[in-house]
Amino acid sequence: MNMTRRTILKAGAGSALALAGGRLVAEEKKGQTLLILGGTGFIGPHLTQAATSRGWTVTHFNRGKRDPDGVPGVETLIGDRKGQLDSLKGRKWDAVIDDTGYIPKYCQMSADLLGPDTGYCLYVSSISAYASFAKPNDVGSPTGVLENKDQEEITNETYGPMKAACEQYVRDAYGTRSSIVRPGYIVGPLDPTDRFTYWPVRFAKGGDMAVPGTPADPIQIVDVRDLAAFMMDLVDARADGYYNAVTPPGAITMGALMETSRKVTGADTQLTWIDEDFLAANMKPEEMNFAPWGPMRGEEAGGSLTGMKASADKGLKARSLEETVRDTLAWHETRPAERKAALRSGFTPEGEAAILAAWRARKA
């Protein structure tokens, strides 16, 4: 089956309920209602599938632009986070998952509106909410502070503090009837960022491949399907608190990602590992888009070692890296030709050729 958005949504609304285990869970959750603010982007389709397979009746709230015909078996309410909330007024849900809250004042607006008549809220934040990455963070680490609470422009500097402010508005509205999930790099089918997709796709092309850092450098990810299942576990349990949604620190390395890509693709790719200081000295900052890899020295040194014990205690599990790589590649093959040819992350072909040449020339 092609892993398109439409097939995932259809599976979530229909065939997933035919699973024997799903029938039992569906009976337990029969009649419970879930509002997803968003629902048709990257996380949304997987989350919809996870919810409907457990018997939840799902409603989407969005602008109706990505899937104008709606999703089979799912109610769609048209509106906009930026104040156009009329379709939500006078409605009640057992739970809401806020998947699209980025701008604090609008996140506060929806939380204040829904809080009194919604039993529970899960807010999807980000580990970017932490104030510093010089050392590893965990759920008790300080978060960024947004000086202007009316800030609307999302930049590299404001994104994290804006997420932290949104978290607080959700907690103000719901209190212990809420949980805050802070994912790291979300990967897998439907990922529009290409941050993870780039690496197995580039590996499959063969030849001499530039890779940042060293094979031992840790990376942290979360497969979007594991994230969706974990979030629904929290909603089912009405869990209270904060949770980092990442793989265990040190469990995955860039070397493991490369070797898994070799196993899955069978490509005879030659890897050239390039020191991070050399990259920084020979590339512009905006060109160093190498997620999920990050620098192992300096202000970002702790970014790939985020603690996740609270999440593990609540059941967050990671499928095998091989499965994530294989399924990501299979989905990538279903994308339009222009998107397959122009990935939004990693090295450009020209940039890769230039950095490889410069790396070799340093020895001359």
Side-chain angles (χ1 to χ4, degrees), residues 332-343:
H332 178 72
E333 286 304 310
T334 70
R335 305 171 87 181
E338 61 271 20
R339 281 294 284 117
K340 291 169 66 176
L343 297 182

Side-chain angles (χ1 to χ4, degrees), residues 33-37 81 88 91-98 106-124 166-180 238-242:
T33 54
L34 174 67
L35 171 66
I36 301 176
L37 301 180
R81 293 300 298 266
L88 297 175
R91 296 287 301 268
K92 296 183 178 182
W93 287 272
D94 292 304
V96 58
I97 295 179
D98 187 344
Y106 297 125
C107 190
Q108 181 185 33
M109 192 179 298
S110 59
D112 287 347
L113 172 65
L114 294 168
D117 294 319
T118 303
Y120 180 82
C121 179
L122 184 151
Y123 174 66
V124 182
C166 289
E167 292 180 1
Q168 189 57 55
Y169 284 139
V170 169
R171 294 294 279 183
D172 288 345
Y174 289 90
T176 59
R177 297 182 294 120
S178 65
S179 60
I180 307 298
R238 304 300 196 271
D240 167 35
Y242 296 78

Side-chain angles (χ1 to χ4, degrees), residues 22 69-70 91 139 156 183 191 203 205 219 245 282 342 344 346 356:
D69 296 330
R91 296 287 301 268
V139 290
N156 287 338
D191 177 13
F203 196 100
K205 292 180 179 179
I219 59 175
N282 288 272
R344 296 171 176 171
L356 285 171

Side-chain angles (χ1 to χ4, degrees), residues 20-350:
R23 289 196 193 98
L24 297 176
V25 177
E27 285 300 316
E28 294 175 2
K29 299 300 175 186
K30 187 176 181 180
Q32 293 211 67
T33 54
L34 174 67
L35 171 66
I36 301 176
L37 301 180
T40 58
F42 174 26
I43 301 175
H46 298 284
L47 185 57
T48 299
Q49 180 182 15
T52 55
S53 69
R54 299 180 186 213
W56 286 83
T57 298
V58 176
T59 298
H60 289 169
F61 172 81
N62 52 54
R63 294 175 298 173
K65 294 184 176 181
R66 184 175 277 111
D67 283 297
D69 296 330
V71 176
V74 175
E75 178 188 26
T76 297
L77 300 178
I78 302 301
D80 194 306
R81 293 300 298 266
K82 295 184 177 181
Q84 298 174 23
L85 306 178
D86 287 352
S87 61
L88 297 175
K89 294 178 179 178
R91 296 287 301 268
K92 296 183 178 182
W93 287 272
D94 292 304
V96 58
I97 295 179
D98 187 344
D99 183 30
T100 58
Y102 297 94
I103 300 174
K105 65 180 182 181
Y106 297 125
C107 190
Q108 181 185 33
M109 192 179 298
S110 59
D112 287 347
L113 172 65
L114 294 168
D117 294 319
T118 303
Y120 180 82
C121 179
L122 184 151
Y123 174 66
V124 182
S125 184
S126 168
I127 62 169
S128 295
Y130 291 116
S132 170
F133 293 93
K135 296 180 180 180
N137 289 301
D138 211 331
V139 290
S141 299
T143 54
V145 177
L146 187 66
E147 294 183 3
N148 176 14
K149 292 297 178 66
D150 290 327
Q151 172 80 36
E152 292 193 44
E153 183 182 4
I154 301 173
T155 67
N156 287 338
E157 290 72 34
T158 66
Y159 174 71
M162 288 173 78
K163 277 292 193 179
C166 289
E167 292 180 1
Q168 189 57 55
Y169 284 139
V170 169
R171 294 294 279 183
D172 288 345
Y174 289 90
T176 59
R177 297 182 294 120
S178 65
S179 60
I180 307 298
V181 175
R182 296 169 177 160
Y185 291 114
I186 307 171
V187 307
L190 303 186
D191 177 13
T193 71
D194 299 325
R195 292 178 300 196
F196 178 86
T197 305
Y198 168 82
W199 300 105
V201 168
R202 170 60 189 89
F203 196 100
K205 292 180 179 179
D208 193 0
M209 177 177 176
V211 191
T214 75
D217 290 350
I219 59 175
Q220 286 182 297
I221 58 175
V222 61
D223 188 295
V224 64
R225 296 161 294 182
D226 298 331
L227 175 62
F230 176 61
M231 290 196 294
M232 287 311 305
D233 286 345
L234 295 178
V235 173
D236 285 342
R238 304 300 196 271
D240 167 35
Y242 296 78
Y243 304 92
N244 294 326
V246 292
T247 45
I252 303 176
T253 64
M254 278 299 285
L257 177 56
M258 294 301 103
E259 289 310 305
T260 301
S261 297
R262 186 184 304 280
K263 180 179 180 180
V264 170
T265 67
D268 185 21
T269 304
Q270 304 303 307
L271 302 178
T272 298
W273 296 87
I274 301 179
D275 181 77
E276 63 179 81
D277 291 337
F278 186 87
L279 290 170
N282 288 272
M283 298 183 71
K284 298 177 181 178
E286 62 270 21
E287 295 173 332
M288 294 184 61
N289 188 11
F290 303 139
W293 179 86
M296 297 293 107
R297 300 185 285 273
E299 296 180 356
E300 303 293 320
S304 296
L305 295 170
T306 301
M308 50 82 68
K309 184 179 184 303
S311 298
D313 290 344
K314 288 293 185 181
L316 176 60
K317 297 180 177 63
R319 68 193 60 214
S320 71
L321 183 59
E322 182 177 341
E323 182 178 354
T324 296
V325 168
R326 180 178 291 109
D327 290 351
T328 299
L329 286 170
W331 161 73
H332 178 72
E333 286 304 310
T334 70
R335 305 171 87 181
E338 61 271 20
R339 281 294 284 117
K340 291 169 66 176
L343 297 182
R344 296 171 176 171
S345 189
F347 292 99
T348 64
E350 299 78 13

